[in-house]
Amino acid sequence: MRHIISLLMENEAGALSRVAGLFSARGYNIESLTVAPTEDSTLSRMTLVTIGSDEIVEQITKQLNKLIDIVKLADITEGEHLERELMLLKVLANTAEQREEVKRMTDIFRGRVIDVMDATFTIEITGNGHKLDAFIEAMRQSDIIETVRSGATGISRGSKCLHV
Amino acid sequence: MELSGAEIVVQFLKDEGVEHVFGYPGGAVLHIYDAIFRQEDVKHILVRHEQGAVHAADGYARATGKPGVALVTSGPGATNAITGIATAYMDSIPLIVLSGQVQSAFIGSDAFQEVDAVGISRPCVKHNFLVKDVHDLVSTLKKAFYVATTGRPGPVLIDIPKDTTDIAIKIPYVFPHHISMRSYNPTVKGHSGQVKRALDLLASARRPMLYTGGGVILSNASAELTEFTQVLGYPITNTLMGLGSYPGRDKQFVGMLGMHGTYEANMAMHECDVLVAIGARFDDRVTGDVEQFCPNAKIIHIDIDPASISKTVRVDVPIVGDIKAVLTDMLKELKGVKKQNDSKALENWWKQIDKWRTADCLRYDRNSALIKPQFVIEKLCEVTNGDAFVTSDVGQHQMFAAQFYHFNKPRRWINSGGLGTMGFGLPAALGVQMAHPGAPVACITGESSIQMCIQELATAKQYDLPVKVINLNNSYMGMVRQWQEFFYDKRYSQSHMAVQPDFVKLAEAYGHVGMHIDKPADVEGALKEAFAMKDRLVFLDFVTDEKENVYPMIAAGKGQHEMHMAPEWELI
Ligand SMILES: Cc1cc2nc3c(=O)[nH]c(=O)nc-3n(C[C@H](O)[C@H](O)[C@H](O)COP(=O)(O)OP(=O)(O)OC[C@H]3O[C@@H](n4cnc5c(N)ncnc54)[C@H](O)[C@@H]3O)c2cc1C
Ligand SMILES: Cc1ncc(C[n+]2csc(CCOP(=O)(O)OP(=O)(O)O)c2C)c(N)n1
Ligand SMILES: [Mg+2]
């Protein structure tokens, strides 16, 4: 099963390497990992996507909780939640025809063209992983030059929340 | 009070109640060594190798329950300390390791004697810190002691760049009496609902079993465990790490369990219907094949570390908390109600256990012309009234010590169980002796293990630490040889210690007393003579039967009921 684990951790040097080290030392999977500061400058928030059986994910959350720098943690996939990922995608857009096609697809997927150059378009698109996969699939006809994905972030719905 | 970083380190240790620091100087810690020189409250013990410093601090911690403290320099000092740190980590021992670091401005530049100590130690510490600003020193030290000694204890490393301890920069110092950390709050009290569920399950047991480990010792809960066990009247087994937490000669004690545990302990585990695991972590040396582990049992598990619970074996009633607190709560409840136990069933269970006991699984040849290692330990136990502090190295001798020295008190049996570090025994014994001057301290070792930290014989001389080294010399890495005999068709690849020093002369060269014993008849006399020399370190080199194996044995990956007994005897 795929799980999204949200972590609040002390904004200390080395905190990220403790998490990464834990996963490699114990042989757990990491699908993606994102981390950034929060509105409280002493805390960072990390979102970790992992795949494992219930037993393994239980151990993962327990082991993460044991890390001294981790203040709070939740497996947001246990309840209703929202998941979003950002992707930037650069495609070849030389001819008017190509440009039209790229624009059309981008609109269908509710992306935005954020950069227009002589020969390329860069598109910004957000959504869950499936939507981004589907967009890449749909763009196969065009010449994709480069893609970059942020990795998933997520948040629980309603009153459930992760804060100190 | 205005102090430099170096003075803060030493003053803090004093205020924290630290009396001994085990260490070895070098460039990055020279400021701290200068501060040590200029005071007398914190005593520094100069070892001969940083591994020895950490093991000695570890032995000190295990024997006292207080955190051990080691001080090493940057680079090679820090890397030499790693084996010691990992040893303490695996057995959950509270340690503070202070390592010097190159100046903050040079970090990352491959400076002289620079190593990423925080990075290298990360997987084998409970936590670590890098203190780049002298203003953070006091709070970091306080946090380090707090983290190391609470919850599931463990080693904490503090890496201190040289400029942080600069003698020229003085700042105000106040000892912080309290600390709280929002990200670290171990659970102490057990959940009352879970405690009640556990008691109900216990009362319904027909074939109950208590399986207890190192956590009982770490929690200082031997008295509570003993009372709990005796109120219930249930059989109890200890892991290698738990020995001494329950009186080793009591009739309810069925011996150690696991790979080299007793037949009765392992069979009782296999057949029990309710298992109570207390401060034990279901290690593979204990469970054998987890698929076959305790097939009929409902399991209760008391542990302060939630991650220990259901890690390798799923349990039915988890209780997260400190053992002392949880057992105290359970005892209160137990005394309130009448035991609802099926007393007939319990009686039958004991009959079954007594039958297993008649297998006499620890039997060995007492008429041998060669010295049997088991015999030496039995005599050692007699000569010291089962009351010595006993440290051990790793190998067959360690198992014989666990099987034949009947520990009656906690913190008397000091060995590396989780990491299995050869070289641990001697430095650990020095730490123990430092903590308990005047108490009998024995280091049970083998000719191979002892050579891994033999240099600490000089430390023993310098500080007059009269440890008795019991070298069970079988000329082999006996434990390795045993596996090669059983599983590699007697191809004894690289396990023969063909060349050895003359240990008697070696001991003498270090200024100690050496004894060579090769006849069974001389064993007892030699031990008595050695322990009578209260102010000398005596190195007793016992020439033992090189063919002896440790029995019983559960081969790796087998179930607990699939024990091998010594070949001479049959199962009943
Ligand atoms: C050559 C060799 C052979 C060995 N053979 C055997 C063998 O036959 N049998 C055997 O048993 N072992 C054997 N071992 C040792 C084995 O490797 C493990 O170290 C040992 O079994 C672990 O013991 P434990 O389960 O008591 O756990 P420990 O490592 O002592 O862990 C303690 C547990 O208690 C918990 N705890 C700590 N403090 C508290 C507290 N205050 N309150 C509540 N819980 C707490 C911890 O979270 C942890 O889960 C052998 C080792 C070697 C080197
Ligand atoms: C540092 C280290 N290296 C290797 C081992 C593997 N090992 C386990 S027991 C053992 C042999 C120990 O020999 P000795 O000290 O003579 O004890 P004996 O088994 O003969 O009693 C070895 C090599 C270890 N535990 N530790
Ligand atoms: Mg040997």
Side-chain angles (χ1 to χ4, degrees):
Chain A
M1 265 282 286
R2 179 169 176 273
H3 291 254
I4 303 176
I5 300 171
S6 287
L7 309 164
L8 280 178
M9 53 194 206
E10 296 290 356
N11 197 358
E12 299 271 353
L16 172 62
S17 60
R18 290 181 207 282
V19 173
L22 175 76
F23 274 71
S24 66
R26 294 190 182 265
Y28 303 143
N29 274 312
I30 302 190
E31 276 247 301
S32 72
L33 184 161
T34 68
V35 60
T38 64
E39 72 281 8
D40 173 348
S41 65
T42 64
L43 290 172
S44 313
R45 177 149 174 165
M46 178 184 279
T47 308
L48 229 158
V49 180
T50 182
I51 293 177
S53 64
D54 289 352
E55 284 78 25
I56 289 178
V57 173
E58 180 183 330
Q59 261 300 310
I60 290 176
T61 55
K62 284 173 167 179
Q63 293 292 348
L64 283 169
N65 250 322
K66 244 174 101 166
L67 294 177
I68 307 289
D69 284 338
I70 287 182
V71 184
K72 256 198 172 149
L73 167 165
D75 179 348
I76 62 167
T77 26
E78 273 175 2
E80 282 193 64
H81 64 281
L82 303 168
E83 179 188 342
R84 286 291 181 277
E85 185 174 356
L86 168 72
M87 174 165 69
L88 302 179
L89 187 138
K90 197 188 290 180
V91 286
L92 210 60
N94 268 328
T95 62
E97 210 173 291
Q98 276 176 333
R99 289 180 178 234
E100 196 43 48
E101 174 63 10
V102 169
K103 185 78 185 63
R104 200 175 64 84
M105 273 302 178
T106 305
D107 286 344
I108 294 174
F109 279 84
R110 293 196 202 151
R112 289 197 301 148
V113 178
I114 55 169
D115 190 38
V116 177
M117 299 291 276
D118 286 351
T120 63
F121 271 15
T122 298
I123 301 150
E124 171 198 301
I125 177 164
T126 59
N128 65 21
H130 294 306
K131 176 175 166 186
L132 303 192
D133 291 342
F135 185 60
I136 293 176
E137 206 42 54
M139 294 294 285
R140 287 261 178 245
Q141 272 89 332
S142 317
D143 282 323
I144 299 176
I145 300 170
E146 190 180 349
T147 65
V148 53
R149 295 170 68 150
S150 65
T153 59
I155 198 162
S156 293
R157 289 190 64 193
S159 55
K160 248 196 182 174
C161 56
L162 189 68
H163 64 65
V164 249
Chain B
M1 192 166 21
E2 297 249 310
L3 299 177
S4 70
E7 289 162 343
I8 287 175
V9 170
V10 179
Q11 183 64 38
F12 180 92
L13 292 177
K14 182 192 163 205
D15 292 344
E16 187 66 40
V18 174
E19 292 167 47
H20 299 93
V21 173
F22 301 85
Y24 207 97
V29 284
L30 282 178
H31 295 321
I32 301 177
Y33 271 89
D34 191 57
I36 287 174
F37 187 87
R38 290 184 286 109
Q39 56 87 50
E40 273 164 7
D41 299 309
V42 179
K43 191 171 182 218
H44 181 272
I45 293 98
L46 176 66
V47 294
R48 297 300 184 268
H49 187 299
E50 288 88 351
Q51 182 184 348
V54 183
H55 288 331
D58 180 331
Y60 184 93
R62 294 184 201 230
T64 58
K66 295 196 286 185
V69 181
L71 170 60
V72 301
T73 192
S74 67
T79 53
N80 272 350
I82 292 293
T83 300
I85 296 172
T87 302
Y89 179 70
M90 290 296 279
D91 292 340
S92 307
I93 304 303
L95 281 192
I96 304 294
V97 179
L98 305 168
S99 57
Q101 182 55 277
V102 301
Q103 298 199 26
S104 340
F106 294 166
I107 290 179
S109 69
D110 301 320
F112 176 62
Q113 296 198 322
E114 179 185 357
V115 78
D116 176 10
V118 165
I120 287 187
S121 65
R122 190 186 308 113
C124 59
V125 291
K126 182 169 174 188
H127 196 55
N128 57 21
F129 299 93
L130 172 67
V131 195
K132 284 191 183 170
D133 181 346
V134 64
H135 294 92
D136 295 335
L137 201 48
V138 170
S139 63
T140 306
L141 281 159
K142 190 69 192 174
K143 280 184 197 166
F145 275 84
Y146 174 54
V147 169
T149 55
T150 53
R152 179 177 184 168
V156 174
L157 176 130
I158 311 179
D159 202 30
I160 312 178
K162 193 166 181 184
D163 47 309
T164 302
T165 56
D166 194 338
I167 338 191
I169 302 166
K170 305 224 175 199
I171 60 163
Y173 167 84
V174 185
F175 179 72
H177 287 277
H178 299 287
I179 182 108
S180 77
M181 291 167 73
R182 65 177 172 185
S183 64
Y184 174 71
N185 294 295
T187 308
V188 172
K189 202 175 150 39
H191 185 279
S192 58
Q194 290 295 85
V195 167
K196 177 135 196 335
R197 278 180 65 202
L199 287 169
D200 288 345
L201 187 54
L202 266 180
S204 74
R206 300 172 62 83
R207 297 184 308 281
M209 182 71 182
L210 307 177
Y211 148 54
T212 74
V216 177
I217 291 169
L218 294 166
S219 170
N220 293 313
S222 293
E224 290 77 7
L225 175 72
T226 306
E227 194 185 345
F228 181 73
T229 307
Q230 294 179 353
V231 166
L232 288 167
Y234 294 171
I236 176 169
T237 179
N238 285 165
T239 66
L240 181 71
M241 301 316 292
L243 293 173
S245 59
Y246 187 85
R249 292 227 188 253
D250 186 82
K251 60 182 191 317
Q252 278 172 253
F253 186 61
V254 296
M256 181 172 83
L257 83 166
M259 181 173 274
H260 292 300
T262 66
Y263 181 62
E264 49 271 33
N266 285 317
M267 288 306 288
M269 290 291 289
H270 190 72
E271 299 287 332
C272 71
D273 70 345
V274 174
L275 180 72
V276 195
I278 308 179
R281 58 184 174 83
F282 297 82
D283 184 82
D284 53 77
R285 301 270 125 159
V286 164
T287 58
D289 176 13
V290 287
E291 298 299 321
Q292 302 188 59
F293 178 74
C294 294
N296 308 311
K298 287 252 184 280
I299 304 177
I300 299 163
H301 188 186
I302 309 172
D303 204 293
I304 202 156
D305 178 4
S308 268
I309 291 173
S310 294
K311 181 165 69 175
T312 56
V313 171
R314 284 228 64 90
V315 305
D316 302 283
V317 185
I319 303 177
V320 176
D322 176 45
I323 293 165
K324 202 182 183 77
V326 174
L327 286 185
T328 303
D329 285 351
M330 288 182 119
L331 273 166
K332 245 184 255 153
E333 297 275 329
L334 271 179
K335 282 178 189 155
V337 291
K338 259 208 167 133
K339 270 186 281 170
Q340 325 152 18
N341 240 103
D342 182 341
S343 59
K344 189 76 197 146
L346 188 60
E347 208 175 289
N348 287 337
W349 179 226
W350 272 114
K351 272 192 197 137
Q352 174 62 67
I353 289 170
D354 286 337
K355 208 162 148 206
W356 286 323
R357 276 173 163 160
T358 60
D360 196 7
C361 65
L362 297 178
R363 240 186 317 171
Y364 67 91
D365 179 6
R366 285 164 194 280
N367 302 316
S368 164
L370 301 171
I371 297 179
K372 289 287 182 180
Q374 300 95 323
F375 178 70
V376 179
I377 309 286
E378 269 186 351
K379 286 293 160 198
L380 174 69
C381 186
E382 261 175 59
V383 167
T384 56
N385 293 318
D387 213 20
F389 288 87
V390 178
T391 72
S392 165
D393 266 306
V394 172
Q396 291 183 323
H397 59 273
Q398 177 186 24
M399 295 296 108
F400 291 132
Q403 292 174 333
F404 288 89
Y405 198 100
H406 300 276
F407 294 93
N408 285 312
K409 294 180 190 156
R411 302 196 178 281
R412 298 290 160 118
W413 166 237
I414 286 156
N415 81 129
S416 164
L419 198 67
T421 309
M422 291 170 71
F424 174 79
L426 178 61
L430 304 186
V432 174
Q433 189 79 75
M434 210 67 193
H436 300 292
V441 178
C443 163
I444 296 174
T445 183
E447 79 299 322
S448 306
S449 291
I450 191 68
Q451 295 190 67
M452 289 218 177
C453 277
I454 192 92
Q455 75 286 347
E456 300 307 331
L457 283 174
T459 312
K461 185 67 192 172
Q462 181 166 346
Y463 298 93
D464 288 321
L465 301 170
V467 168
K468 308 297 177 262
V469 179
I470 315 290
N471 189 32
L472 299 178
N473 190 336
N474 53 9
S475 298
Y476 274 92
M477 298 172 194
M479 186 56 90
V480 174
R481 191 202 57 73
Q482 174 167 347
W483 283 56
Q484 290 171 334
E485 178 184 331
F486 292 177
F487 310 118
Y488 296 89
D489 208 11
K490 303 192 180 174
R491 290 186 297 279
Y492 299 126
S493 178
Q494 305 298 320
S495 56
H496 186 208
M497 269 290 145
V499 171
Q500 293 185 42
D502 178 333
F503 285 111
V504 172
K505 281 194 190 147
L506 187 67
E508 287 168 1
Y510 277 108
H512 302 304
V513 180
M515 291 166 83
H516 180 84
I517 306 100
D518 55 14
K519 288 188 216 47
D522 296 339
V523 170
E524 187 170 348
L527 285 167
K528 283 187 169 155
E529 197 184 329
F531 278 92
M533 286 186 253
K534 292 205 186 305
D535 54 351
R536 298 300 298 274
L537 184 150
V538 185
F539 193 112
L540 297 103
D541 190 22
F542 291 97
V543 179
T544 63
D545 183 355
E546 62 179 44
K547 296 238 155 54
E548 191 59 37
N549 288 323
V550 184
Y551 290 109
M553 177 170 183
I554 304 173
K558 295 280 185 191
Q560 286 189 314
H561 57 305
E562 299 172 294
M563 296 209 89
H564 284 288
M565 305 295 245
E568 301 88 285
W569 14 99
E570 310 252 79
L571 291 188
I572 41 165

